[in-house]
Amino acid sequence: MHEESLARALLRQVRMILDENPGTIAEEVSVELGPLSGVEPLLLEQAWERCGTGAALSIVEVPLVAECSTCNLQIELQEFDFRCPRCHAGMRVVRGESLELVSVTLRSVEHSPESAPCLPL
Amino acid sequence: MSSSLKTITVRRDVAKQMNASGEALRHQLGEQGTLVVNLVSSPGAGKTSLLEATAKQIAGQANMAVLVGDLETDRDAQRLAPFVPTIQLTTGGACHLDANLVQRGLEALAFDTSAEGPLDFLFIENVGNLVCPASHDLGEHLRVVLVSTTEGDDKPGKYPKMFRSSQVMIVTKTDLLPYVPFSVESVTSDALKIQPDLRVLTVSTLKSEGIDRWCDLLWQQRKERLCIDRRT
């Protein structure tokens, strides 16, 4: 159930971007998450909705990509087996381990931000 | 009302930002010579029993303390208190500990009169749960996952993130091996697929088996990770 805290952490990130861009509201927030992120997309979506920002959350699920620490072979893993198929050494994850904030789409507003619908942030 | 759209690309790891306080704790405690060990497992795998045995084994050689997390009650703290300074962290229903709770526990520990001098080891007994604690950095130097012989040897495959993020796996309750369908070999090979660098130990606290090897590993990890020698 840590999707709640992740949604709040995500919200803090978005808020920082809004602070750096005065006079804007967040229209869409795009994130990527992988099989080892420990995040359930549906639960994250629900937790995000409960934050009540009005901004849409776009979730892209990315594959698990690992690289061999010895022979540098890089492959997409179909299962959680982190031994290199070529040399049997341990592999490190290069993608698919995290929840990543990719981008935020901002809409500039003429009126004061307080009156904007998407800003109970 | 005229308006225009622009997209700002950021690429930030959300959990990393969330776990920043864990990183700060690890650094701070490491500088003081304290190895922080986060014990994780499903409920009833034997975390408290292992800590009890550890405290008895290294009493007099090391300064240690325990922060123990549970949803409710202070039963684990009561069990451990006769052997080691212990602070109960009650999460009030939350399924995991976080670095802020650990920070609070450390502050409480500072007022505990039975704890004295800088700690060699700080153990954090996490809430019994193989899912959520995997995503929370408590500032530990070492994450140790326990699997008991009574809960089945299929746990690594079912909870890959927990085993992937641990450095040590301890198979507990090995005294029950003759009576349960559990294969140490199979749980080990499954776990090593997920985390090829995992150190694997077996213990029975009931028979006091494997505790000395576990304690040796603790001293050795403290030396390696904090670059300090055991006190003489």
XYZ file of all heavy atoms in Angstrom, chain A residues 24-116:
702
model
N 1.470 28.760 -14.148
C 1.082 27.555 -14.900
C 0.342 26.583 -13.977
O 0.481 26.653 -12.757
C 2.313 26.803 -15.467
O 3.141 26.400 -14.382
C 3.098 27.663 -16.435
N -0.406 25.705 -14.622
C -1.016 24.602 -13.886
C -0.609 23.302 -14.573
O -0.258 23.307 -15.758
C -2.567 24.708 -13.846
C -3.131 24.765 -15.266
C -3.016 25.908 -13.021
C -4.640 24.635 -15.323
N -0.629 22.212 -13.824
C -0.239 20.930 -14.407
C -1.439 20.305 -15.099
O -2.507 20.179 -14.518
C 0.279 20.006 -13.311
N -1.230 19.958 -16.366
C -2.316 19.362 -17.137
C -2.147 17.840 -17.179
O -3.080 17.102 -17.016
C -2.278 19.933 -18.560
C -3.397 19.422 -19.419
C -4.313 20.533 -19.889
O -4.506 21.487 -19.119
O -4.797 20.439 -21.020
N -0.907 17.415 -17.407
C -0.644 15.972 -17.448
C 0.719 15.653 -16.832
O 1.685 16.380 -17.049
C -0.675 15.454 -18.889
C -0.590 13.935 -18.937
C -0.642 13.372 -20.362
O 0.274 13.670 -21.141
O -1.591 12.636 -20.655
N 0.747 14.573 -16.067
C 1.978 14.118 -15.440
C 2.293 12.736 -16.012
O 1.457 11.837 -15.949
C 1.797 14.051 -13.904
C 3.027 13.459 -13.238
C 1.479 15.432 -13.335
N 3.482 12.576 -16.591
C 3.839 11.288 -17.198
C 4.892 10.568 -16.366
O 5.928 11.153 -16.035
C 4.391 11.494 -18.606
O 3.423 12.091 -19.407
N 4.618 9.311 -16.065
C 5.587 8.511 -15.314
C 5.871 7.196 -16.032
O 5.062 6.732 -16.839
C 5.092 8.191 -13.878
C 4.918 9.447 -13.048
C 3.804 7.375 -13.891
N 7.043 6.644 -15.723
C 7.396 5.314 -16.225
C 7.614 4.419 -15.018
O 8.213 4.850 -14.037
C 8.712 5.381 -17.000
C 8.551 5.688 -18.456
C 9.896 5.696 -19.187
O 10.919 5.257 -18.620
O 9.903 6.169 -20.326
N 7.163 3.184 -15.109
C 7.480 2.250 -14.030
C 7.760 0.873 -14.608
O 7.248 0.496 -15.662
C 6.380 2.227 -12.966
C 4.942 1.900 -13.325
C 4.737 0.402 -13.352
C 4.024 2.513 -12.274
N 8.615 0.157 -13.898
C 9.037 -1.153 -14.393
C 8.618 -2.274 -13.456
O 8.109 -2.034 -12.368
N 8.874 -3.520 -13.887
C 8.436 -4.696 -13.124
C 9.055 -4.791 -11.724
O 8.496 -5.438 -10.853
C 8.913 -5.875 -13.973
C 9.198 -5.334 -15.318
C 9.556 -3.893 -15.136
N 10.210 -4.144 -11.507
C 10.841 -4.215 -10.188
C 10.649 -2.931 -9.390
O 11.332 -2.691 -8.408
C 12.334 -4.498 -10.331
C 12.852 -5.903 -10.040
C 14.362 -5.877 -9.938
C 12.272 -6.532 -8.785
N 9.726 -2.090 -9.826
C 9.515 -0.823 -9.121
C 8.729 -1.041 -7.835
O 8.730 -0.185 -6.950
C 8.758 0.158 -10.019
O 7.462 -0.351 -10.298
N 8.069 -2.184 -7.733
C 7.246 -2.435 -6.551
C 5.976 -1.610 -6.560
O 5.344 -1.435 -5.531
N 5.611 -1.086 -7.732
C 4.430 -0.226 -7.826
C 3.374 -0.886 -8.708
O 3.679 -1.337 -9.819
C 4.794 1.151 -8.433
C 3.583 2.072 -8.423
C 5.933 1.788 -7.674
N 2.174 -0.938 -8.203
C 1.061 -1.481 -8.960
C 0.393 -0.306 -9.691
O -0.114 0.622 -9.056
C 0.091 -2.167 -7.988
C -1.074 -2.871 -8.635
C -0.657 -3.839 -9.718
O 0.234 -4.677 -9.460
O -1.216 -3.732 -10.827
N 0.423 -0.304 -11.049
C -0.070 0.859 -11.800
C -1.483 1.305 -11.399
O -1.722 2.498 -11.207
C -0.049 0.387 -13.255
C 0.916 -0.728 -13.286
C 0.927 -1.358 -11.934
N -2.373 0.346 -11.237
C -3.757 0.691 -10.917
C -3.861 1.377 -9.550
O -4.567 2.364 -9.381
C -4.624 -0.575 -10.952
C -6.136 -0.332 -10.886
C -6.607 0.424 -12.119
C -6.876 -1.665 -10.778
N -3.103 0.845 -8.590
C -3.132 1.426 -7.241
C -2.523 2.824 -7.240
O -2.983 3.717 -6.538
C -2.367 0.530 -6.250
C -3.016 -0.808 -5.931
C -2.154 -1.602 -4.959
C -4.409 -0.618 -5.344
N -1.478 3.009 -8.064
C -0.862 4.337 -8.147
C -1.854 5.341 -8.740
O -1.983 6.465 -8.261
C 0.408 4.283 -9.000
C 1.120 5.630 -9.163
C 1.685 6.116 -7.829
C 2.235 5.545 -10.197
N -2.550 4.877 -9.780
C -3.537 5.739 -10.431
C -4.618 6.174 -9.434
O -4.976 7.349 -9.365
C -4.173 4.954 -11.580
C -4.632 5.809 -12.738
C -5.113 4.913 -13.871
O -4.313 4.065 -14.319
O -6.280 5.048 -14.258
N -5.098 5.218 -8.654
C -6.136 5.532 -7.660
C -5.603 6.478 -6.584
O -6.285 7.424 -6.188
C -6.646 4.240 -7.001
C -7.475 3.406 -7.958
C -7.705 1.992 -7.440
O -7.143 1.591 -6.424
N -8.535 1.232 -8.144
N -4.372 6.218 -6.139
C -3.776 7.078 -5.110
C -3.596 8.494 -5.655
O -3.806 9.480 -4.947
C -2.431 6.510 -4.660
N -3.208 8.589 -6.932
C -3.021 9.902 -7.563
C -4.354 10.644 -7.642
O -4.427 11.840 -7.362
C -2.421 9.723 -8.952
C -2.272 11.019 -9.694
C -3.033 11.484 -10.724
C -1.298 12.037 -9.443
N -2.611 12.713 -11.130
C -1.538 13.084 -10.358
C -0.237 12.179 -8.525
C -0.765 14.253 -10.392
C 0.533 13.332 -8.560
C 0.267 14.353 -9.488
N -5.402 9.920 -7.994
C -6.725 10.555 -8.078
C -7.152 11.095 -6.720
O -7.739 12.165 -6.624
C -7.769 9.564 -8.609
C -7.782 9.515 -10.127
C -8.601 8.357 -10.664
O -9.472 7.863 -9.923
O -8.352 7.946 -11.813
N -6.817 10.342 -5.673
C -7.190 10.785 -4.329
C -6.464 12.061 -3.924
O -6.907 12.783 -3.035
C -6.924 9.683 -3.300
C -8.027 8.629 -3.251
C -7.907 7.763 -2.014
N -6.730 6.900 -2.057
C -6.706 5.723 -2.681
N -7.780 5.274 -3.292
N -5.619 4.990 -2.675
N -5.318 12.341 -4.585
C -4.610 13.595 -4.296
C -5.418 14.792 -4.795
O -5.196 15.925 -4.370
C -3.232 13.619 -4.958
S -2.059 12.476 -4.224
N -6.320 14.549 -5.728
C -7.240 15.585 -6.178
C -6.616 16.767 -6.899
O -7.057 17.904 -6.745
N -5.590 16.519 -7.709
C -4.932 17.629 -8.402
C -5.692 18.038 -9.657
O -5.536 19.141 -10.143
C -3.522 17.226 -8.865
O -3.665 16.145 -9.797
C -2.676 16.787 -7.701
N -6.432 17.112 -10.240
C -7.097 17.390 -11.505
C -6.184 17.128 -12.695
O -6.641 17.078 -13.835
N -4.896 16.958 -12.451
C -3.968 16.661 -13.552
C -4.055 15.179 -13.897
O -4.155 14.336 -13.002
C -2.552 17.035 -13.139
N -4.015 14.889 -15.207
C -4.091 13.488 -15.634
C -2.746 12.807 -15.381
O -1.692 13.428 -15.505
C -4.435 13.419 -17.112
N -2.787 11.532 -14.986
C -1.553 10.765 -14.790
C -1.429 9.769 -15.933
O -2.325 8.965 -16.165
C -1.594 10.027 -13.443
C -0.356 9.206 -13.102
C 0.853 10.100 -12.875
C -0.603 8.338 -11.867
N -0.320 9.867 -16.661
C -0.103 8.913 -17.743
C 1.008 7.951 -17.317
O 2.111 8.370 -16.966
C 0.247 9.685 -19.018
O 1.196 8.987 -19.763
N 0.680 6.661 -17.286
C 1.645 5.655 -16.812
C 2.122 4.789 -17.972
O 1.318 4.182 -18.664
C 1.014 4.745 -15.733
C 0.530 5.576 -14.543
C 2.000 3.675 -15.279
C -0.195 4.767 -13.466
N 3.419 4.764 -18.181
C 3.977 3.884 -19.205
C 4.760 2.788 -18.497
O 5.624 3.068 -17.661
C 4.917 4.670 -20.161
C 5.596 3.722 -21.140
C 4.126 5.725 -20.907
N 4.411 1.531 -18.808
C 5.135 0.425 -18.192
C 6.313 0.026 -19.075
O 6.139 -0.243 -20.262
C 4.196 -0.759 -17.972
C 3.164 -0.447 -16.903
C 2.223 -1.611 -16.632
O 2.725 -2.704 -16.317
O 1.005 -1.419 -16.749
N 7.505 0.038 -18.482
C 8.709 -0.270 -19.257
C 9.228 -1.656 -18.886
O 8.974 -2.144 -17.786
C 9.815 0.795 -19.018
C 9.341 2.169 -19.448
C 10.253 0.810 -17.556
N 9.950 -2.304 -19.804
C 10.470 -3.650 -19.493
C 11.666 -3.593 -18.550
O 12.230 -2.527 -18.308
C 10.888 -4.182 -20.860
C 11.188 -2.976 -21.671
C 10.288 -1.878 -21.167
N 12.033 -4.750 -18.043
C 13.196 -4.875 -17.165
C 14.431 -5.116 -18.033
O 14.496 -6.095 -18.767
C 12.957 -6.055 -16.219
C 13.884 -6.223 -15.030
C 13.888 -4.985 -14.162
C 13.451 -7.431 -14.208
N 15.375 -4.181 -17.966
C 16.592 -4.310 -18.759
C 17.780 -4.404 -17.806
O 17.901 -3.615 -16.867
C 16.773 -3.107 -19.719
C 18.061 -3.245 -20.524
C 15.569 -2.983 -20.639
N 18.639 -5.395 -18.035
C 19.799 -5.583 -17.151
C 21.077 -5.681 -17.968
O 21.061 -6.029 -19.159
C 19.616 -6.840 -16.314
N 22.181 -5.342 -17.299
C 23.479 -5.383 -17.965
C 24.441 -6.214 -17.130
O 24.494 -6.063 -15.907
C 24.022 -3.953 -18.100
C 25.290 -3.863 -18.905
C 25.815 -2.433 -18.956
O 26.359 -1.975 -17.933
O 25.652 -1.780 -19.996
N 25.200 -7.067 -17.808
C 26.147 -7.928 -17.094
C 27.301 -7.090 -16.550
O 27.868 -6.263 -17.261
C 26.679 -9.017 -18.016
S 27.912 -10.038 -17.199
N 27.644 -7.326 -15.277
C 28.712 -6.537 -14.662
C 30.084 -6.992 -15.142
O 31.077 -6.312 -14.944
C 28.623 -6.648 -13.148
O 28.421 -7.993 -12.773
N 30.148 -8.152 -15.804
C 31.435 -8.652 -16.284
C 31.608 -8.477 -17.796
O 32.541 -7.845 -18.250
C 31.596 -10.146 -15.903
O 31.412 -10.267 -14.497
C 32.959 -10.668 -16.287
N 30.641 -9.000 -18.584
C 30.840 -8.959 -20.045
C 30.011 -7.854 -20.720
O 30.041 -7.724 -21.942
C 30.555 -10.325 -20.672
S 28.789 -10.723 -20.779
N 29.264 -7.085 -19.908
C 28.493 -5.933 -20.406
C 27.339 -6.251 -21.348
O 26.786 -5.345 -21.963
C 29.404 -4.893 -21.069
C 30.400 -4.313 -20.092
O 30.085 -4.167 -18.900
N 31.586 -4.018 -20.558
N 26.975 -7.530 -21.459
C 25.824 -7.887 -22.280
C 24.574 -7.199 -21.715
O 24.322 -7.239 -20.511
C 25.627 -9.408 -22.260
C 24.360 -9.951 -22.938
C 24.483 -9.856 -24.460
C 24.104 -11.395 -22.526
N 23.813 -6.540 -22.590
C 22.601 -5.888 -22.122
C 21.388 -6.585 -22.727
O 21.295 -6.718 -23.943
C 22.626 -4.410 -22.520
C 21.714 -3.586 -21.631
C 21.758 -2.101 -21.930
O 20.977 -1.616 -22.731
N 22.670 -1.388 -21.292
N 20.477 -7.039 -21.877
C 19.290 -7.741 -22.382
C 18.032 -7.349 -21.614
O 18.097 -6.863 -20.491
C 19.422 -9.296 -22.298
C 19.899 -9.718 -20.893
C 20.303 -9.855 -23.384
C 19.623 -11.161 -20.573
N 16.906 -7.595 -22.281
C 15.627 -7.412 -21.623
C 15.286 -8.722 -20.921
O 15.302 -9.778 -21.539
C 14.592 -7.100 -22.715
C 13.302 -6.552 -22.187
C 12.333 -6.236 -23.318
O 12.728 -5.514 -24.263
O 11.194 -6.730 -23.253
N 15.003 -8.645 -19.628
C 14.728 -9.874 -18.875
C 13.249 -10.217 -18.949
O 12.397 -9.373 -18.716
C 15.142 -9.709 -17.410
C 16.616 -9.482 -17.103
C 16.836 -9.414 -15.599
C 17.476 -10.591 -17.694
N 12.965 -11.465 -19.245
C 11.578 -11.935 -19.283
C 11.146 -12.426 -17.912
O 9.977 -12.480 -17.592
C 11.397 -13.041 -20.329
C 11.785 -12.630 -21.741
C 11.051 -11.381 -22.231
O 9.892 -11.145 -21.895
N 11.734 -10.547 -23.024
N 12.120 -12.867 -17.112
C 11.823 -13.281 -15.747
C 12.916 -12.751 -14.830
O 13.930 -12.246 -15.281
C 11.685 -14.800 -15.644
C 12.852 -15.551 -16.229
C 12.636 -17.056 -16.188
O 12.198 -17.543 -15.139
O 12.912 -17.723 -17.186
N 12.665 -12.894 -13.519
C 13.610 -12.332 -12.555
C 14.806 -13.249 -12.353
O 15.006 -13.806 -11.284
C 12.911 -12.067 -11.221
C 11.806 -11.055 -11.318
C 10.490 -11.412 -11.075
C 12.084 -9.736 -11.667
C 9.473 -10.478 -11.159
C 11.072 -8.793 -11.763
C 9.763 -9.163 -11.521
N 15.586 -13.405 -13.396
C 16.805 -14.194 -13.315
C 17.962 -13.282 -13.728
O 18.115 -12.946 -14.903
C 16.711 -15.415 -14.239
C 17.886 -16.370 -14.051
O 18.919 -15.945 -13.486
O 17.774 -17.537 -14.470
N 18.751 -12.878 -12.717
C 19.767 -11.864 -12.954
C 21.163 -12.454 -13.164
O 22.158 -11.827 -12.835
C 19.775 -10.858 -11.797
C 18.514 -10.032 -11.744
C 17.404 -10.485 -11.041
C 18.435 -8.826 -12.419
C 16.234 -9.737 -11.002
C 17.264 -8.073 -12.384
C 16.164 -8.522 -11.676
N 21.211 -13.689 -13.701
C 22.518 -14.256 -14.039
C 22.713 -14.130 -15.537
O 21.817 -14.458 -16.320
C 22.579 -15.727 -13.616
C 22.482 -15.920 -12.093
C 22.183 -17.346 -11.767
N 20.991 -17.804 -12.493
C 20.523 -19.041 -12.437
N 21.136 -19.936 -11.735
N 19.437 -19.369 -13.104
N 23.884 -13.653 -15.935
C 24.129 -13.399 -17.351
C 24.023 -14.697 -18.153
O 24.670 -15.689 -17.812
C 25.515 -12.795 -17.519
S 25.966 -12.566 -19.240
N 23.216 -14.715 -19.221
C 23.079 -15.942 -20.013
C 24.370 -16.291 -20.756
O 24.563 -17.434 -21.170
C 21.961 -15.612 -21.001
C 21.841 -14.136 -21.004
C 22.359 -13.639 -19.685
N 25.269 -15.298 -20.920
C 26.502 -15.561 -21.655
C 27.633 -16.025 -20.721
O 28.263 -17.023 -20.957
C 26.929 -14.308 -22.423
C 28.010 -14.564 -23.445
C 28.044 -13.507 -24.528
N 28.432 -12.202 -24.003
C 28.340 -11.084 -24.720
N 27.872 -11.119 -25.967
N 28.708 -9.938 -24.204
N 27.827 -15.275 -19.617
C 28.985 -15.627 -18.767
C 28.592 -15.993 -17.325
O 29.460 -16.254 -16.499
C 30.005 -14.500 -18.772
S 29.516 -13.075 -17.811
N 27.297 -15.973 -17.012
C 26.767 -16.393 -15.712
C 27.107 -15.473 -14.539
O 26.834 -15.811 -13.395
C 27.167 -17.842 -15.381
C 26.850 -18.795 -16.496
N 25.549 -19.094 -16.856
C 27.652 -19.456 -17.360
C 25.584 -19.916 -17.890
N 26.843 -20.153 -18.226
N 27.701 -14.320 -14.819
C 27.977 -13.367 -13.730
C 26.682 -12.642 -13.359
O 25.683 -12.750 -14.065
C 29.035 -12.368 -14.174
N 26.713 -11.903 -12.264
C 25.536 -11.144 -11.841
C 25.289 -9.953 -12.754
O 26.223 -9.397 -13.319
N 24.008 -9.602 -12.924
C 23.678 -8.472 -13.787
C 23.097 -7.337 -12.958
O 22.432 -7.569 -11.960
C 22.652 -8.894 -14.836
C 23.109 -10.062 -15.683
S 21.937 -10.427 -17.004
C 22.511 -9.320 -18.293
N 23.340 -6.094 -13.412
C 22.726 -4.965 -12.713
C 21.586 -4.419 -13.560
O 21.622 -4.490 -14.796
C 23.760 -3.876 -12.397
C 24.398 -3.265 -13.627
C 25.359 -2.152 -13.286
N 25.625 -1.394 -14.512
C 24.943 -0.312 -14.883
N 23.986 0.170 -14.106
N 25.211 0.295 -16.022
N 20.599 -3.887 -12.889
C 19.419 -3.380 -13.593
C 19.702 -1.998 -14.163
O 20.228 -1.130 -13.475
C 18.216 -3.303 -12.624
C 17.011 -2.701 -13.321
C 17.880 -4.692 -12.101
N 19.418 -1.811 -15.431
C 19.579 -0.474 -16.004
C 18.232 0.204 -16.242
O 18.151 1.422 -16.370
C 20.412 -0.473 -17.319
C 21.861 -0.792 -17.019
C 19.869 -1.455 -18.340
N 17.165 -0.582 -16.291
C 15.846 0.002 -16.474
C 14.771 -0.929 -15.903
O 14.925 -2.143 -15.958
C 15.596 0.196 -17.975
C 14.463 1.159 -18.263
C 14.389 1.469 -19.743
N 13.361 2.474 -19.989
C 12.643 2.548 -21.090
N 12.848 1.673 -22.052
N 11.743 3.491 -21.242
N 13.742 -0.333 -15.343
C 12.616 -1.148 -14.885
C 12.578 -1.361 -13.387
O 11.797 -2.153 -12.874
N 13.455 -0.629 -12.653
C 13.548 -0.839 -11.216
C 12.848 0.279 -10.450
O 12.686 0.196 -9.242
C 15.028 -0.857 -10.827
C 15.318 -1.571 -9.551
C 16.817 -1.775 -9.352
O 17.623 -0.994 -9.888
O 17.179 -2.721 -8.672
N 12.485 1.336 -11.178
C 12.016 2.517 -10.443
C 10.702 3.065 -10.982
O 10.203 2.644 -12.015
C 13.085 3.603 -10.523
O 13.356 3.891 -11.873
N 10.177 4.000 -10.212
C 9.064 4.828 -10.668
C 9.704 6.167 -11.012
O 10.291 6.815 -10.160
C 8.033 5.009 -9.552
C 6.976 6.090 -9.807
C 6.052 5.706 -10.947
C 6.153 6.353 -8.545
N 9.613 6.529 -12.276
C 10.304 7.728 -12.725
C 9.325 8.773 -13.233
O 8.450 8.461 -14.046
C 11.277 7.345 -13.841
C 12.439 8.281 -13.982
C 13.506 7.699 -14.894
O 14.353 6.930 -14.405
O 13.478 7.998 -16.092
N 9.487 9.981 -12.743
C 8.715 11.093 -13.285
C 9.405 11.499 -14.583
O 10.573 11.872 -14.583
C 8.687 12.268 -12.304
C 8.100 13.572 -12.835
C 6.656 13.413 -13.280
C 8.198 14.674 -11.788
N 8.706 11.354 -15.698
C 9.327 11.615 -16.997
C 9.109 13.064 -17.416
O 10.050 13.779 -17.756
C 8.766 10.663 -18.078
C 9.382 10.961 -19.433
C 9.020 9.222 -17.672
N 7.860 13.509 -17.411
C 7.596 14.877 -17.854
C 6.304 15.406 -17.253
O 5.464 14.646 -16.777
C 7.515 14.933 -19.382
O 6.386 14.198 -19.819
N 6.189 16.702 -17.270
C 4.965 17.363 -16.808
C 4.534 18.339 -17.893
O 5.345 19.119 -18.392
C 5.199 18.132 -15.487
C 3.909 18.796 -15.019
C 5.728 17.198 -14.414
N 3.277 18.227 -18.311
C 2.748 19.178 -19.287
C 2.054 20.309 -18.539
O 1.160 20.067 -17.724
C 1.772 18.476 -20.251
O 2.485 17.413 -20.896
C 1.244 19.435 -21.306
N 2.501 21.508 -18.818
C 2.011 22.687 -18.103
C 1.139 23.529 -19.019
O 1.412 23.663 -20.204
C 3.180 23.541 -17.618
C 4.190 22.869 -16.689
C 5.384 23.797 -16.475
C 3.552 22.507 -15.374
N 0.099 24.078 -18.460
C -0.726 25.040 -19.191
C -0.554 26.390 -18.520
O -0.677 26.515 -17.304
C -2.201 24.612 -19.149
C -3.122 25.570 -19.887
C -4.565 25.121 -19.789
N -4.840 23.899 -20.537
C -5.079 23.881 -21.867
N -5.054 24.996 -22.570
N -5.334 22.742 -22.465
N -0.224 27.383 -19.338
C -0.072 28.708 -18.737
C -1.444 29.348 -18.610
O -2.311 29.183 -19.466
C 0.859 29.572 -19.576
O 0.391 29.615 -20.898
N -1.641 30.045 -17.532
C -2.936 30.674 -17.282
C -2.740 32.168 -17.101
O -1.758 32.620 -16.518
C -3.625 30.075 -16.031
C -4.169 28.699 -16.332
C -2.673 30.021 -14.856
N -3.699 32.927 -17.669
C -3.600 34.383 -17.588
C -3.915 34.879 -16.178
O -3.298 35.787 -15.662
C -4.595 35.014 -18.564
C -3.958 35.358 -19.896
C -4.939 36.046 -20.795
O -6.103 36.213 -20.384
O -4.546 36.412 -21.911
N -4.949 34.256 -15.649
C -5.420 34.729 -14.346
C -4.528 34.214 -13.226
O -3.646 33.402 -13.454
C -6.877 34.295 -14.136
C -7.767 34.778 -15.251
N -8.041 36.105 -15.406
C -8.371 34.119 -16.265
C -8.822 36.234 -16.489
N -9.019 35.046 -17.024
N -4.802 34.692 -12.039
C -3.962 34.294 -10.907
C -4.075 32.772 -10.711
O -5.151 32.196 -10.898
C -4.428 35.010 -9.651
O -5.698 34.522 -9.274
N -2.975 32.141 -10.345
C -2.994 30.685 -10.199
C -4.046 30.197 -9.201
O -4.542 29.090 -9.299
C -1.592 30.358 -9.670
C -0.769 31.562 -9.940
C -1.686 32.734 -10.027
N -4.391 31.032 -8.244
C -5.358 30.621 -7.217
C -6.706 30.241 -7.821
O -7.427 29.403 -7.299
C -5.575 31.740 -6.185
C -4.454 31.839 -5.156
C -3.228 32.542 -5.720
O -3.350 33.224 -6.763
O -2.161 32.392 -5.148
N -7.046 30.897 -8.956
C -8.349 30.637 -9.556
C -8.336 29.420 -10.486
O -9.360 29.006 -10.982
C -8.821 31.863 -10.339
O -7.944 32.055 -11.438
N -7.122 28.874 -10.697
C -7.021 27.756 -11.647
C -7.605 26.475 -11.071
O -7.416 26.201 -9.887
C -5.560 27.539 -12.015
